[in-house]
Amino acid sequence: VLTCIVLVCKYSGQQQTPFNVIFNSVAKVVAPFTPKWLQKCSQWTLHRLFHQRNNMFIYLHILLEGAVYAEFTYEVFGFCRQMDTTLTSLSVPYVLLAIKTFFFYLCIKRDPGTVTKKKVAGQLHIYPYDRRLFHPGVSCPTCQLLKPARSKHCRVCNRCVQRFDHHCVWVNNCIGAQNTRYFLLYLFSTCAMAGDIALLTGDMLLHAVLRSGLLTASYIDEYGQQQPAGPLFVVQV
C-alpha cells in the first residue's frame, strides 16, 4: 500500500508514466490478436466503470465485506468463544461494521457541495482566491457558472464541486466540502474494523499454536535428521 502511495505521488499529473508505457506496449502486442468486438467491449467496460457513474464498485465493496465477515464469523468467532474470549470483544467488529456502514451510506447519499445557480453566490465568498491556481471571475466552460475558489469540475459526475478533493468510485460520488468529514470517518472506521479483526484473528492463531504444542514439536528434515519446529517453521506452516 505504501509503495502504491509513493508511486501515485511521484507520477501524479504526468502525461507519460511507466504504467502508461507498459500498458501501451502490452496493448500493441495483444491488439493484433484480439477480435474487434472484444476490444470494443473492453473499452466500453473500462469507460463505464471509471468514467461514468455506476454502482458496480458499491456492490463489489458490499460483496467483499460480506465475504470477510462470513469467514470471520465462521472461522474466528467460534474458536474465540472456545478460548473464552468475551462477547464484548467479539462484538466490537460488528459494532464497527454498523458505524462504518452508516458513514458509507452518508458518503454515497450526501451532496458533496455541488455548485448551482442558487448556491454559487454564497459559495464564492467561502474561500479566498489565491490568484495562482484559482482566480476570480473564471467560469466553468461546462457548467457556465463562476467557479468558487478550490472548486473543480468533475468529469464523471458532470458538475462543479466546492472544495473538490476527488471522485471516489467506491462510493460512486465526489468527495467535497459537504461530505469530506463523512468520508474521513468512513476511512477511520474501516481501518479500525480491519485492525480489530486482525487482532482477534492473530490472537486466535496464537492460541491455536500454543494449544497444539507446535512450538515444542519437531520434524524430520530432508536429510532424515530430527529438527525442532521453532517459530519460523510454525509461520511457514
Side-chain angles (χ1 to χ4, degrees), residues 21-38:
V21 173
I22 295 173
F23 179 80
N24 292 333
S25 300
V26 173
K28 288 179 181 179
V29 174
V30 176
F33 308 99
T34 307
K36 293 294 184 182
W37 65 268
L38 184 58

Side-chain angles (χ1 to χ4, degrees), residues 7-228:
L7 291 174
V8 168
C9 292
K10 180 176 176 60
Y11 295 108
S12 179
Q14 296 186 17
Q15 294 294 329
Q16 195 70 5
T17 67
F19 309 107
N20 289 338
V21 173
I22 295 173
F23 179 80
N24 292 333
S25 300
V26 173
K28 288 179 181 179
V29 174
V30 176
F33 308 99
T34 307
K36 293 294 184 182
W37 65 268
L38 184 58
Q39 294 183 28
K40 291 182 179 180
C41 182
S42 301
Q43 292 173 357
W44 180 87
T45 302
L46 291 173
H47 180 76
R48 177 66 177 167
L49 285 176
F50 297 103
H51 299 283
Q52 291 183 354
R53 295 194 70 182
N54 66 87
N55 295 323
M56 181 61 67
F57 284 95
I58 294 178
Y59 300 143
L60 179 60
H61 179 284
I62 296 172
L63 178 64
L64 293 174
E65 196 169 67
V68 168
Y69 268 82
E71 179 68 16
F72 173 78
T73 304
Y74 179 74
E75 293 284 352
V76 180
F77 190 91
F79 194 89
C80 287
R81 286 300 296 153
Q82 294 177 13
M83 299 186 308
D84 297 327
T85 305
T86 63
L87 280 175
T88 303
S89 299
L90 291 173
S91 64
V92 171
Y94 300 97
V95 174
L96 291 172
L97 174 64
I99 296 173
K100 192 274 316 173
T101 302
F102 173 69
F103 291 125
F104 183 58
Y105 175 81
L106 290 178
C107 288
I108 295 172
K109 291 298 183 180
R110 280 298 181 98
D111 178 72
T114 305
V115 178
T116 63
K117 290 181 179 180
K118 293 182 179 180
K119 299 178 182 178
V120 66
Q123 291 171 331
L124 288 171
H125 304 288
I126 295 178
Y127 298 105
Y129 291 94
D130 59 7
R131 299 183 184 276
R132 290 184 176 86
L133 294 175
F134 304 101
H135 302 273
V138 176
S139 298
C140 173
T142 304
C143 299
Q144 298 298 314
L145 294 172
L146 286 174
K147 296 184 66 174
R150 301 180 65 182
S151 68
K152 186 179 178 181
H153 186 86
C154 176
R155 59 177 180 169
V156 179
C157 298
N158 194 30
R159 61 183 174 184
C160 282
V161 177
Q162 180 189 4
R163 208 182 72 199
F164 180 85
D165 187 86
H166 71 287
H167 181 89
C168 180
V169 295
W170 293 104
V171 299
N172 192 27
N173 199 2
C174 294
I175 306 302
Q178 301 301 319
N179 64 351
T180 299
R181 70 193 76 173
Y182 305 119
F183 184 73
L184 291 175
L185 290 170
Y186 157 70
L187 293 180
F188 289 147
S189 57
T190 301
C191 292
M193 183 178 69
D196 190 57
I197 289 178
L199 285 175
L200 289 171
T201 304
D203 184 58
M204 179 205 72
L205 293 174
L206 178 61
H207 279 79
V209 169
L210 294 176
R211 285 188 177 189
S212 64
L214 277 175
L215 289 176
T216 58
S218 59
Y219 67 97
I220 305 299
D221 63 14
E222 58 184 348
Y223 302 107
Q225 301 294 323
Q226 188 173 2
Q227 302 289 347

